[in-house]
Amino acid sequence: MVRTMSLIRALISTARMVRHTPRLAEGLPPDDAVLLDAPDDRLAPALVSAALGEYEHAAKLLATTRESAEWEDRDRYVMRLAAFAHNRDEWLARWLAASPADPDALVVRAELGVRKAWESPARAELLRETGPLIGAAAEGDPRDPVPWRIALDHARGTRAGHRDFESLWGEAVRRSSHHYGCHVAALQYLSGQWHGSHQECFDFAEQAAADALPGSLVKALPMRAAFSRLLSDDLTSVTTDRIDAACDEAILLSSVYVVGDPWPAEVRNLLAYVLVRRHRWDEALEQFRLIGPYATSFPWTSLTDDPLGQFLETRDGVRLQVASGMPLWNRTDRGRPRGHYA
């Protein structure tokens, strides 16, 4: 009897998935329309020019962000340009040759140096050698918080002590008290995987979110702490309560932005991942709708070397989970003639 009931439940679940999954695709871009780490309209021309060996578009873009104190955009653009230069750096070499003291070129060079060192087996040694590059970038424009975000990443890799970390953190927030990138770098340093603890990581994230401005991505910092905690797979009831509360706050933040906005795309990708881990299927599906075509490498690279494939596979899996929990027939269906074999 138990085996029969299990089989019946499995058949009903399958029937629900077959019936409801197609209609749950509404609002989701088709697979071939989803882009991984797509640049925004300002960054795209700079990357195209860099591919041609030209640096002028990148120089103009970063100069604009610096002069306008657009520190959040500047940080993102610096990271993307440095990532591009990792494999094709001719344009950056030309830029530095033409303007060796350009603060925008210097900050890209510093980010690139740290990025290369992180990926090397000799990480600690190479990171120590990048210290002067970060110092030069910080001196390029004393207002700029981005070199201090780079310095916080550097401190994590060189195993700098808490006193040094706190000094760097003070310099960062003095320049931009709500800078998202600096907060993320600090959170990573304080995580249990690095130089802090899960408790310290969550405490920092929750306090930062409480102090953040409305609509700031810093509001999602507790969810990043939740992600770090989930990686350990060592959860307690108190921890899961904090993770769910972090999700709730991130859902509110996500609702502030329009569907398919590239700015909060990484936060929404991370939120979808954490919601899936918590089996909050309906809310995860809603985030996939809000993400639109903007898949991001993080957090999916924590699972696979194919982040776009993992994004699409997870999105499909969430649709199946939602469909399997829906009623097989609704009241309208029950009142409708279905033919002899319906």
Side-chain angles (χ1 to χ4, degrees), residues 62 65-66 70-71 74-76 78-79 102-112 114 130-155 167-169 171-173 175-176 179 181-182 185:
L62 292 187
T65 61
R66 179 168 48 83
E70 300 173 52
W71 304 128
R74 178 176 178 80
D75 196 18
R76 289 195 181 194
V78 164
M79 287 191 284
D102 188 322
D104 305 312
L106 292 175
V107 74
V108 175
R109 184 181 68 172
E111 172 69 19
L112 176 59
V114 170
T130 63
L133 301 182
I134 300 172
E139 292 172 3
D141 188 333
R143 303 171 305 147
D144 188 359
V146 178
W148 299 98
R149 190 271 302 158
I150 300 171
L152 288 166
D153 288 336
H154 180 267
S167 176
L168 295 172
W169 173 243
E171 295 287 350
V173 296
R175 287 162 173 79
S176 182
H179 189 269
C182 289

Side-chain angles (χ1 to χ4, degrees), residues 2-23:
V2 172
R3 186 174 180 181
T4 300
M5 292 304 296
S6 298
L7 178 59
I8 291 173
R9 283 194 293 269
L11 290 172
I12 292 174
S13 178
T14 300
R16 287 169 175 166
M17 287 188 284
V18 170
R19 178 172 175 77
H20 297 301
T21 299
R23 68 178 67 173

Side-chain angles (χ1 to χ4, degrees), residues 252-284:
L252 288 175
L253 173 66
S254 178
S255 70
V256 172
Y257 295 92
V258 299
V259 176
D261 188 337
W263 174 251
E266 185 177 89
V267 165
R268 282 172 166 166
N269 275 251
L270 178 59
L271 175 55
Y273 171 89
V274 176
L275 288 168
V276 167
R277 289 289 302 271
R278 296 296 301 139
H279 295 179
R280 294 171 63 168
W281 308 114
D282 291 273
E283 292 160 307

Side-chain angles (χ1 to χ4, degrees), residues 38 43 69 79 91 111 124 127 131 134 144 157 161 175 182 187 219 231 233 278 286 310 320-321 327 329:
L43 177 61
M79 287 191 284
W91 62 277
E111 172 69 19
L127 278 173
I134 300 172
D144 188 359
R175 287 162 173 79
C182 289
L187 186 75
K219 291 284 187 185
L231 292 180
D233 286 323
R278 296 296 301 139
E286 177 60 19
Q310 185 65 53
L320 290 174
Q321 288 288 347
W329 304 105

